[in-house]
């Protein structure tokens, strides 16, 4: 795929980075250190299958893929059904567009999971691992996108879990946070019971943007740290950063805690079928643009629709306000094979857990085009299995998906329900 990178992004990024550093230097930073030292973690686990900490077990420059990077063609009745439905839809899935190797597992799994992209196909940043095209001034957003996306998703039978991803929009005052939040609200209005995960931008570290997305009623807030601390500048756009991403993840938990406290003070619990149940907060109704979402501002969050010339209407139900029905989960991801060591990966895992991350995914970096960062190593499945063991049994993540072909949305629906079941969350 041809990739167009705006040459002016480099100077813009450097200027933004300098401003961000000055701002950070005036405020006390939060400690992200865990009480578990890396050496202690490594010493208390079985030895690695490799003599060196993170040595490739196959040549990264080889013309043929190792067997663990080969995937069988997707198949099965559920997969074929969703493939037909998506083919007839106006909304494209990232699963298809990116030729995800896990498409069969996600679509054909117990929980039908699909991933969509919002806010266009052009990013204001130029990360060296990403094949998305870039521009200083991407095209304007489609104000009808929240409604269009919700209507399309409502028509998909067998899809119970949606992952939203998006480009960065540093050209917008709020980074596109309101647009994303409106889209989530609309999806939940049109499809009560739908679970929504958002792989969110960092909004340049602005808490207001994170808070806007969290208050939309989403179930999982995801933001990827991408790589270890040492490789951040080499891999990511300078406007992103290790500390900033960790703070975004902490901010998501903080915003959710604010919502839960408000719910306890103002709404409390409710009686459901003769027993006491904690009611998690519905989404905010603020900021919904009737021109884009087709919701009346005074009735936003109630499922009441203003005539938009469409035959479909949001279904009514107990979750019509679009609130999450469990504690907010946070999620992050690392790519491996960029030149990191195993100790550095464990350090990053430890830092993400200290930031409150519940779900972690680890996968192999694969170079999208010759213009992108080269692959430093092809990590063996045994190493991924070892890191999963460390993550879940030593560091304490609720769920770790770790494997060569794992991506951030890999079987996201199953991970969501498995973790809630493990923690005893009750769903309707």
């Amino acid at each position: 795929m041809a990739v167009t990178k705006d040459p002016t992004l480099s100077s813009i990024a450097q200027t933004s980075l300098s401003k961000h550093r000055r701002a950070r230097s005036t405020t006390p930073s939060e400690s992200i250190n865990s009480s578990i030292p890396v050496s202690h973690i490594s010493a208390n686990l079985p030895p690695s299958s490799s003599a060196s900490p993170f040595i490739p077990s196959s040549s990264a420059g080889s013309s043929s893929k190792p067997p663990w990077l080969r995937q069988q063609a997707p198949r099965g009745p559920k997969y074929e059904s969703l493939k037909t439905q998506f083919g007839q839809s106006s909304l494209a899935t990232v699963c298809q567009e990116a030729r995800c190797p896990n498409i069969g597992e996600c679509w054909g799994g117990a929980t039908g999971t699909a991933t969509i992209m919002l806010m266009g196909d052009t990013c204001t940043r130029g990360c060296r691992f990403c094949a998305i095209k870039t521009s200083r001034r991407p095209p304007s957003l489609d104000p009808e996108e929240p409604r269009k996306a919700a209507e399309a998703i409502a028509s998909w039978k067998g899809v119970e879990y949606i992952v939203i991803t998006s480009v960065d929009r540093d050209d917008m005052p709020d980074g596109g946070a309101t647009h994303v939040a409106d889209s989530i609200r609309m999806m939940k209005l049109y499809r009560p019971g739908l679970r929504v995960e958002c792989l969110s931008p960092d909004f340049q570290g602005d808490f207001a943007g994170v808070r806007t997305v969290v208050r939309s009623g989403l179930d999982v807030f995801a933001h990827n740290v991408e790589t270890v601390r040492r490789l951040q500048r080499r891999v990511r756009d300078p406007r992103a950063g290790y500390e900033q991403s960790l703070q975004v993840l902490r901010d998501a938990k903080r915003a959710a805690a604010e919502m839960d406290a408000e719910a306890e003070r103002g709404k409390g619990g409710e009686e459901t079928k003769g027993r006491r149940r904690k009611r998690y907060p519905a989404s905010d109704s603020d900021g919904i643009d009737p021109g884009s979402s087709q919701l009346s501002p005074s009735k936003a969050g109630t499922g009441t629709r203003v005539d938009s010339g469409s035959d479909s209407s949001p279904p009514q139900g107990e979750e019509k306000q679009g609130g999450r029905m469990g504690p907010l989960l946070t999620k992050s991801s690392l790519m491996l094979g960029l030149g990191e060591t195993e100790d550095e990966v464990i350090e990053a895992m430890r830092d993400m857990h200290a930031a409150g991350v519940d779900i972690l995914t680890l996968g192999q970096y694969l170079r999208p085009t010759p213009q992108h960062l080269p692959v430093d190593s092809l990590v063996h499945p045994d190493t991924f299995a070892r890191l999963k063991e460390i993550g879940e049994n030593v560091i304490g993540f609720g769920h770790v998906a770790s494997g060569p072909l794992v991506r951030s949305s890999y079987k996201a629906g199953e991970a969501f329900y498995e973790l809630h079941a493990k923690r005893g969350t009750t769903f309707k």
Side-chain angles (χ1 to χ4, degrees):
M1 180 176 71
V3 180
T4 304
K5 297 289 183 183
D6 188 333
T8 66
L9 286 178
S10 178
S11 60
I12 297 170
Q14 293 293 345
T15 301
S16 175
L17 180 65
S18 298
K19 290 180 179 178
H20 176 72
R21 281 176 171 165
R22 288 196 296 270
R24 283 289 186 187
S25 66
T26 61
T27 58
S29 59
E30 294 185 47
S31 172
I32 58 171
N33 291 326
S34 166
S35 59
I36 309 174
V38 173
S39 58
H40 177 78
I41 293 173
S42 299
N44 285 276
L45 283 163
S48 172
S49 60
S50 173
S52 296
F54 225 61
I55 298 296
S57 31
S58 179
S59 172
S62 174
S63 58
S64 61
K65 292 181 179 179
W68 60 82
L69 289 178
R70 298 172 191 155
Q71 187 77 320
Q72 291 185 343
R75 63 187 67 182
K78 190 170 183 180
Y79 166 79
E80 294 297 339
S81 172
L82 290 180
K83 181 180 178 182
T84 299
Q85 292 182 67
F86 295 155
Q88 297 169 347
S89 172
S90 60
L91 184 64
T93 68
V94 175
C95 320
Q96 293 165 302
E97 297 294 320
R99 298 181 181 180
C100 178
N102 305 307
I103 190 170
E105 292 184 76
C106 291
W107 290 8
T111 304
T113 300
T115 302
I116 64 168
M117 178 174 280
L118 298 178
M119 300 202 294
D121 63 356
T122 305
C123 188
T124 53
R125 298 190 186 178
C127 296
R128 296 185 65 200
F129 66 88
C130 183
I132 295 291
K133 60 185 178 182
T134 66
S135 173
R136 182 179 178 179
R137 296 291 179 189
S140 299
L141 298 183
D142 177 6
E144 291 292 302
E145 185 176 50
R147 177 183 61 80
K148 291 176 182 176
E151 288 182 341
I153 290 167
S155 70
W156 293 348
K157 297 179 181 178
V159 175
E160 302 173 30
Y161 196 96
I162 289 291
V163 179
I164 296 171
T165 185
S166 73
V167 295
D168 282 280
R169 292 299 301 255
D170 299 311
D171 59 312
M172 301 181 66
D174 70 347
T178 300
H179 188 89
V180 172
D182 286 353
S183 298
I184 295 169
R185 292 189 190 98
M186 289 297 290
M187 290 173 194
K188 291 209 163 196
L189 286 168
Y190 275 75
R191 187 79 173 270
L194 180 72
R195 306 301 173 189
V196 180
E197 174 179 318
C198 179
L199 180 55
S200 173
D202 61 20
F203 306 113
Q204 300 187 67
D206 182 18
F207 175 67
V210 175
R211 184 176 183 272
T212 296
V213 173
V214 169
R215 296 182 77 92
S216 67
L218 83 170
D219 299 282
V220 179
F221 181 96
H223 175 70
N224 291 345
V225 174
E226 305 292 9
T227 189
V228 300
R229 185 192 299 268
R230 175 175 58 86
L231 298 177
Q232 290 282 319
R233 288 294 303 275
R234 178 170 178 259
V235 173
R236 304 175 76 187
D237 185 283
R239 284 166 289 183
Y242 190 81
E243 298 288 353
Q244 179 167 280
S245 288
L246 290 172
Q247 187 60 49
V248 165
L249 292 162
R250 284 191 288 263
D251 284 345
K253 289 287 192 180
R254 171 186 162 196
E258 288 179 0
M259 287 187 73
D260 293 346
E262 290 169 9
E264 289 296 320
R265 289 195 302 268
K267 300 174 183 177
E270 67 176 19
E271 293 295 329
T272 304
K273 296 182 180 179
R275 57 188 173 87
R276 193 72 174 173
R277 162 189 287 278
K278 182 174 180 180
R279 177 72 176 185
Y280 285 87
S283 61
D284 277 357
S285 59
D286 299 335
I288 296 183
D289 179 0
S292 64
S293 64
Q294 306 301 317
L295 289 176
S296 165
S298 63
K299 298 178 180 179
T302 66
T304 304
R305 181 98 182 278
V306 179
D307 181 20
S308 63
S310 172
D311 294 330
S312 59
S313 297
Q316 302 298 306
E318 196 167 3
E319 288 188 61
K320 62 188 177 183
Q321 287 185 304
R324 55 185 164 87
M325 295 304 296
L328 179 75
L329 301 180
T330 54
K331 180 176 179 179
S332 195
S333 183
L334 290 177
M335 299 176 289
L336 306 188
L338 287 161
E340 66 287 334
T341 67
E342 186 169 346
D343 278 355
E344 286 178 317
V345 174
I346 293 171
E347 178 189 36
M349 292 167 64
R350 183 188 62 184
D351 289 342
M352 287 184 282
H353 183 260
V357 171
D358 301 285
I359 301 173
L360 175 67
T361 63
L362 303 170
Q364 171 72 52
Y365 167 67
L366 296 174
R367 192 182 199 179
T369 75
Q371 286 72 48
H372 289 82
L373 282 174
V375 176
D376 179 82
S377 61
L378 297 179
V379 182
H380 194 277
D382 288 350
T383 301
F384 280 107
R386 173 182 167 82
L387 291 170
K388 176 180 174 68
E389 181 183 0
I390 293 172
E392 292 183 346
N393 299 331
V394 179
I395 297 177
F397 286 100
H399 180 86
V400 177
S402 180
L405 294 176
V406 167
R407 299 296 178 259
S408 58
S409 59
Y410 175 73
K411 299 183 75 171
E414 281 88 339
F416 172 82
Y417 284 110
E418 286 174 10
L419 180 52
H420 274 304
K422 186 187 298 185
R423 293 179 174 176
T425 307
T426 303
F427 291 98
K428 297 175 182 175

